[in-house]
């Protein structure tokens, strides 16, 4: 496997995450005016291979590739590709890799063996959301959003609320929290929580979780991953967060959501205007985190050369 692939967060250390955050912060202060950006002089290509839908991850990896001096090529779902003729995801990746991109950014279902592909292929693979296994760049950018406000992550108590069982974001957060010393607790309906005990402490009432937490991450109810469609008629009343909920928390509390949001289910729309809400700041920081990951993967910046 390429040493600079990122399939999950267990392959990073706390020091490497801190380095990523420092680089991402530096990148946040550099802009389009930097001549090295956007001119593609490196002649490298980043291949974005997305077998599942995406807006934030795909477009921010694309922006990050461009800012790092890579051209992009990509596959966005089956439409117009030979997947429609029955080609497998594995064959698709092998064929895209044969075209010689510098790196592959892949979003796939659990069924695609990304680890085997990373062992087999010469270029780094960045996991852009892999079934329910993980979404490492999302967890990194979520905590980057808190870190760059000067918060001490070892004192952070993050409540992850909602459809945890089907969430690859939650899976990556549990890995990252363990590494960085962030305390994590879960809350949500029992059928939305991980099977088996031990992943993290659980609150059975949202209010109790909110009293414990310093920040809260609401998760999308992922209807596409439920075998039976859940009844959501009382979800918002019991587990949803509104501007009024946030107003009853300390001003230092922060609301995160990886997106896309089911408005009126896990969040009410009025949270976007609340000063504790960081949803769009997460997206903004995601480009810098992904640029830092690309520069790490390819050894493009002085920190990784
Ligand atoms: N957070 C996230 O993965 O969003 P997209 O599905 O739009 O990429």
């Amino acid at each position: 496997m390429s040493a600079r692939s990122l399939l999950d967060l267990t392959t990073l250390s706390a020091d490497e995450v801190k380095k990523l955050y420092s680089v991402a912060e530096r990148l946040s202060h550099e802009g389009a005016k930097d001549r090295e950006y956007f001119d593609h002089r490196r002649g490298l290509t980043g291949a974005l291979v997305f077998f599942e839908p995406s807006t934030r991850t795909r477009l921010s990896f694309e922006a990050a590739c461009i800012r790092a001096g890579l051209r992009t090529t990509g596959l966005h779902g089956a439409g117009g590709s030979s997947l429609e003729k029955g080609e497998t995801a594995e064959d698709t990746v092998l064929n895209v890799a044969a075209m010689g991109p510098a790196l592959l950014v892949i979003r796939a279902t659990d069924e695609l063996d990304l680890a085997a592909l990373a062992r087999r292929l010469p270029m780094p693979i960045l996991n852009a959301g892999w079934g329910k296994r993980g979404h490492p760049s999302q967890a990194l950018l979520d905590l980057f959003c808190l870190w760059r406000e000067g918060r001490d992550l070892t004192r952070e108590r993050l409540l992850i609320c909602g459809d945890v069982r089907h969430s690859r974001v939650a899976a990556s957060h549990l890995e990252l929290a363990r590494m960085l010393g962030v305390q994590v607790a879960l809350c949500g309906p029992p059928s939305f929580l991980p099977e088996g005990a031990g992943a993290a402490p659980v609150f059975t009432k949202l209010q109790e979780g909110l009293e414990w937490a310093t920040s809260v991450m609401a998760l999308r109810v992922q209807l596409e991953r439920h075998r039976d469609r859940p009844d959501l008629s009382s979800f918002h009343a019991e587990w949803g967060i509104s501007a009024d909920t946030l107003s009853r928390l300390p001003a230092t509390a922060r609301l995160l959501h990886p997106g896309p949001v089911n408005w009126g289910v896990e969040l009410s729309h009025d949270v976007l205007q609340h000063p504790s809400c960081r949803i769009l700041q997460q997206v903004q920081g995601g480009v810098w985190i992904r640029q830092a990951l690309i520069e790490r993967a390819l050894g493009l910046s002085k920190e990784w050369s």
Side-chain angles (χ1 to χ4, degrees):
M1 183 187 306
S2 164
R4 297 272 166 90
S5 285
L6 185 68
L7 302 191
D8 63 51
L9 291 168
T10 62
T11 54
L12 290 183
S13 65
D15 283 346
E16 280 178 293
V17 172
K18 284 177 200 150
K19 193 199 287 193
L20 273 170
Y21 284 1
S22 300
V23 172
E25 185 61 27
R26 171 172 62 71
L27 294 171
S28 77
H29 297 290
E30 296 176 4
K33 64 184 187 310
D34 186 318
R35 275 180 53 82
E36 215 182 331
Y37 285 174
F38 306 115
D39 62 6
H40 306 295
R41 279 177 301 180
R42 293 184 173 122
L44 301 173
T45 305
L48 311 179
V49 183
F50 278 60
F51 297 106
E52 291 189 336
S54 169
T55 297
R56 278 147 291 272
T57 312
R58 182 170 65 77
L59 293 180
S60 68
F61 263 118
E62 187 167 356
C65 278
I66 293 167
R67 291 183 192 188
L70 278 67
R71 291 185 186 276
T72 62
T73 183
L75 183 76
H76 311 140
S81 81
S82 289
L83 289 159
E84 289 189 325
K85 296 185 270 185
E87 188 165 35
T88 64
E90 183 187 1
D91 280 344
T92 302
V93 172
L94 293 175
N95 279 270
V96 173
M99 297 169 201
L103 87 168
L104 292 160
V105 179
I106 301 180
R107 171 166 289 193
T109 64
D110 286 307
E111 283 69 46
L112 184 64
D113 192 343
L114 278 190
L117 285 166
R119 281 192 297 275
R120 183 167 172 184
L121 295 172
M123 67 283 291
I125 294 182
L126 303 184
N127 169 0
W130 183 12
K132 288 187 283 182
R133 296 176 195 229
H135 195 349
S137 65
Q138 181 70 48
L140 286 167
L141 74 87
D142 294 337
L143 292 192
F144 176 65
C145 190
L146 301 179
W147 176 88
R148 70 189 307 252
E149 291 189 23
R151 296 164 76 100
D152 177 355
L153 295 182
T154 63
R155 299 168 77 92
E156 202 68 52
R157 294 189 300 276
L158 177 65
L159 180 71
I160 302 182
C161 184
D163 191 3
V164 183
R165 185 181 294 187
H166 300 96
S167 174
R168 54 192 171 207
V169 177
S172 288
H173 267 290
L174 291 168
E175 289 174 356
L176 188 57
R178 220 170 286 129
M179 185 203 310
L180 298 182
V182 176
Q183 292 181 65
V184 172
L186 312 175
C187 79
S191 62
F192 284 13
L193 295 176
E195 287 164 298
V202 168
F203 288 96
T204 53
K205 292 201 165 41
L206 175 61
Q207 187 53 36
E208 288 170 8
L210 291 174
E211 283 166 17
W212 169 85
T214 53
S215 51
V216 55
M217 168 171 289
L219 295 176
R220 181 171 71 91
V221 179
Q222 302 191 50
L223 291 174
E224 74 277 17
R225 297 194 199 280
H226 285 254
R227 209 170 297 134
D228 303 309
R229 195 179 173 85
D231 175 10
L232 297 178
S233 54
S234 62
F235 187 90
H236 188 69
E238 207 171 339
W239 303 104
I241 294 171
S242 65
D244 184 50
T245 319
L246 295 177
S247 296
R248 285 184 266 115
L249 302 180
T252 52
R254 293 290 174 266
L255 171 70
L256 304 173
H257 191 301
V261 177
N262 290 315
W263 297 113
V265 183
E266 64 268 10
L267 296 179
S268 62
H269 208 271
D270 56 8
V271 299
L272 265 186
Q273 277 74 47
H274 195 280
S276 293
C277 178
R278 291 293 179 274
I279 293 174
L280 294 178
Q281 289 87 341
Q282 289 171 261
V283 177
Q284 181 186 40
V287 179
W288 301 317
I289 286 292
R290 287 169 176 140
Q291 187 178 348
L293 286 171
I294 290 164
E295 297 199 350
R296 171 183 179 270
L298 299 178
L300 293 181
S301 51
K302 60 182 184 302
E303 291 85 350
W304 289 293
S305 56

